[in-house]
Structure formats: C-alpha cells, structure tokens
Amino acid sequence: MTTDIAQLTAADFERRIEDEFRVSAPAGEVSLRLVEVRRLGKGLRQGDAFSLTFLSPPGPFLPQAIYPLQHPGFETLDLFLVPIGPKDGGNSYEAVFT
C-alpha cells in the first residue's frame, strides 16, 4: 500500500531527520538517510511547500526518477528523487513537495 503524499507535511518528516529510508532501485536496494527538511513557504498543497534532502553511501548515483521509499513510519512513499551531487562523503538527493 502507498501513502498519499499529497497529505504529507514538513512536520511529518522533521521528526524523522537522521532516519533511514530504503529505496528499491533497478540495481538493488539503497539506504537513504534523511538529512534535511526545508520549508519553502506557500505552495499549492495544504501544509505549504517543502523539500527533503537524503544522503546515500558513496557509489554510483541513482538517476532522476520516481522511487518507492520505505520507512517504518509510513507505508511506501513513491517520491521523485533528483540527484544533487556529492555531500559529506556520499550522494545527495532531493524531493520537492509544492
């Protein structure tokens, strides 16, 4: 079952900073750690716009795509992840909610 991401807010993720999320990718499962939740102000969604930044271990980047993320606090989240470059010895990714 998939969580309705339209209902999620920045507060749903702020308490999960430093938590591990698992993503299923064609090359296998990848661990992503949530490192930042940034509130972006007014958006078209209830709860306003925000972005999430994730960090994975070093290695090849996941290409920009929609990935199913798993976390014990949610059902599966289908998020559009964009690689944003190396950071803190790993690979960073962003998901934006507008």
Side-chain angles (χ1 to χ4, degrees), residues 43-98:
L44 300 176
R45 64 191 340 273
Q46 182 177 341
D48 296 327
F50 63 96
S51 69
L52 307 175
T53 304
F54 295 94
L55 187 64
S56 74
F61 273 94
L62 296 171
Q64 174 176 297
I66 295 173
Y67 293 98
L69 272 75
Q70 297 176 342
H71 181 277
F74 298 107
E75 294 171 354
T76 300
L77 301 172
D78 289 332
L79 293 185
F80 183 68
L81 295 177
V82 177
I84 55 175
K87 180 179 180 177
D88 300 330
N91 301 324
S92 60
Y93 301 90
E94 183 176 50
V96 178
F97 296 74
T98 58

Side-chain angles (χ1 to χ4, degrees), residues 23-45:
V23 61
S24 297
E29 192 170 84
V30 177
S31 173
L32 298 177
R33 182 171 46 93
L34 180 61
V35 295
E36 181 182 24
V37 177
R38 203 164 16 129
R39 292 176 182 258
L40 302 174
K42 294 290 179 199
L44 300 176
R45 64 191 340 273

